[in-house]
Amino acid sequence: MQVVTEVELKDFPLFSKGKVRNIYELDGSTLLLVTTDRMSAFDVIMSEPVPYKGVVLNQITLFWMDRFKGLVKNHLVASDFDDFPEELQKYRNVLEGRSVLARKAKPLPVECIVRGYLSGSGWEEYRATGGICGRKLPGGLSESSRLDEPLFTPSTKAELGEHDVNISDERGRELLGAELFDKVKSLSIAIFNNAREYAESRGIIIADTKFEFGLVDGELVLIDEVLTPDSSRFWPSAGYAPGHSQPSFDKQYLRDWLIAQPWDKTPPPPALPEQVIAETAAKYREAYRILTGSALQL
């Protein structure tokens, strides 16, 4: 297994490339999703990778998708590399552990964000307006306060390098149709509550996360990454106290280092010190270990 930042599969066309994932088209209905070790923050790709981060993201997503399969179908076709087509076997060192085969879905044009705590951009908006995404919240809350009920705050999907834009439920219903929007909203909250209860039993607080859904032959399925350190805020339960930012098992450590630098959050990013890279990698692996009860063999 090797550190992977770029993937070259000469046998299959590149379907799309995001900040972290490369997607290849195997046939008219099947995609190969490869999660690289590229690291992004503030929608900018860092110059240095975080070793094996992609493996951690992929394996955590597989863990959660298996847990939620009774709540919602997903796009997975195969995750064991031995089950991949013969044409891919020569790429084992690049693909094993960090890739899946998935049904080609039509992604919904809305990201489904669920917030259980007041943090990040939600905290900044609350301080300015007393609410989040137009939803009024009780007064007197502090940073990292637990919300009475999880808050669904959808956003539109931005192009690579751009920022997502928060939208109202009304705008979400315009984009998806009322029935589909209400379905993904209720599913997102149900999945979040299920995951939050489980994670808290393992000593992790899930402060917030985002889900993505798509349609396969008109059927709603869960796609992309699920409850990873890239798409979520994971806090240790021990020592949690509202009123300030929390220690985390996600990319917040990296964000905090970047915020302290003289950088305007546009490319090129500052070079990451080895200590920041190593600490970020360790936090990702620790999140996997705590959630699943086993350590990744990298």
Side-chain angles (χ1 to χ4, degrees):
M1 190 178 295
Q2 64 189 60
V3 176
V4 174
T5 56
E6 294 298 337
V7 182
E8 293 186 12
L9 304 183
K10 298 178 181 178
D11 309 290
F12 301 98
L14 181 66
F15 184 77
S16 69
K17 181 178 180 179
K19 292 188 288 290
V20 175
R21 286 169 186 78
N22 286 19
I23 302 177
Y24 296 85
E25 188 172 34
L26 300 192
D27 56 45
S29 61
T30 310
L31 300 175
L32 170 71
L33 280 62
V34 186
T35 308
T36 73
D37 298 322
R38 296 192 295 265
M39 170 59 81
S40 73
F42 305 111
D43 296 311
V44 175
I45 299 172
M46 302 293 104
S47 301
E48 302 82 9
V50 172
Y52 308 113
K53 168 201 166 218
V55 178
V56 176
L57 299 185
N58 188 53
Q59 295 302 317
I60 286 182
T61 292
L62 292 174
F63 168 79
W64 288 119
M65 282 190 167
D66 181 67
R67 180 174 177 84
F68 301 141
K69 62 188 178 183
L71 284 173
V72 60
K73 292 185 178 180
N74 59 62
H75 64 168
L76 293 177
V77 173
S79 58
D80 186 333
F81 188 77
D82 290 335
D83 295 331
F84 285 19
E86 180 62 33
E87 299 90 331
L88 291 174
Q89 294 300 315
K90 60 186 175 182
Y91 300 110
R92 180 180 291 270
N93 285 344
V94 175
L95 299 180
E96 188 172 26
R98 65 171 71 249
S99 60
V100 298
L101 303 185
R103 292 181 292 167
K104 186 186 291 186
K106 181 181 179 182
L108 301 186
V110 168
E111 291 196 335
C112 300
I113 300 168
V114 185
R115 304 173 188 269
Y117 289 75
L118 201 51
S119 185
S121 63
W123 165 239
E124 295 300 323
E125 186 174 351
Y126 173 78
R127 287 204 300 172
T129 69
I132 301 179
C133 299
R135 297 156 178 83
K136 194 69 176 176
L137 294 177
L141 298 179
S142 58
E143 184 176 7
S144 303
S145 289
R146 181 178 175 121
L147 302 175
D148 290 338
E149 296 290 338
L151 195 62
F152 184 72
T153 59
S155 73
T156 56
K157 293 182 182 179
E159 297 297 322
L160 187 62
E162 300 295 326
H163 296 287
D164 296 340
V165 178
N166 292 333
I167 59 174
S168 64
D169 282 11
E170 290 71 26
R171 178 58 179 155
R173 291 188 177 96
E174 290 175 4
L175 291 170
L176 302 184
E179 182 178 355
L180 183 56
F181 177 84
D182 289 342
K183 185 172 184 179
V184 297
K185 178 178 180 178
S186 62
L187 261 179
S188 297
I189 293 172
I191 295 170
F192 180 83
N193 282 332
N194 183 304
R196 175 161 72 173
E197 181 178 356
Y198 170 81
E200 287 178 352
S201 76
R202 306 286 302 180
I204 286 182
I205 292 171
I206 301 176
D208 54 45
T209 194
K210 68 177 179 180
F211 302 111
E212 293 200 44
F213 295 90
L215 297 173
V216 177
D217 298 327
E219 181 179 35
L220 186 67
V221 296
L222 184 62
I223 65 172
D224 199 57
E225 64 180 319
V226 179
L227 287 155
T228 72
D230 264 17
S231 65
S232 318
R233 283 186 173 86
F234 292 154
W235 300 337
S237 300
Y240 162 74
H244 53 78
S245 63
Q246 308 295 310
S248 68
F249 296 111
D250 52 57
K251 68 164 69 173
Q252 191 59 46
Y253 169 81
L254 176 67
R255 290 193 195 102
D256 290 343
W257 182 85
L258 289 168
I259 289 170
Q261 308 310 305
W263 179 51
D264 63 359
K265 300 180 183 177
T266 62
L272 300 179
E274 286 296 326
Q275 180 182 351
V276 172
I277 294 171
E279 184 69 19
T280 302
K283 286 177 178 291
Y284 276 50
R285 292 194 300 269
E286 183 68 358
Y288 177 88
R289 186 194 66 78
I290 294 173
L291 288 170
T292 68
S294 63
L296 279 173
Q297 301 301 312
L298 299 173

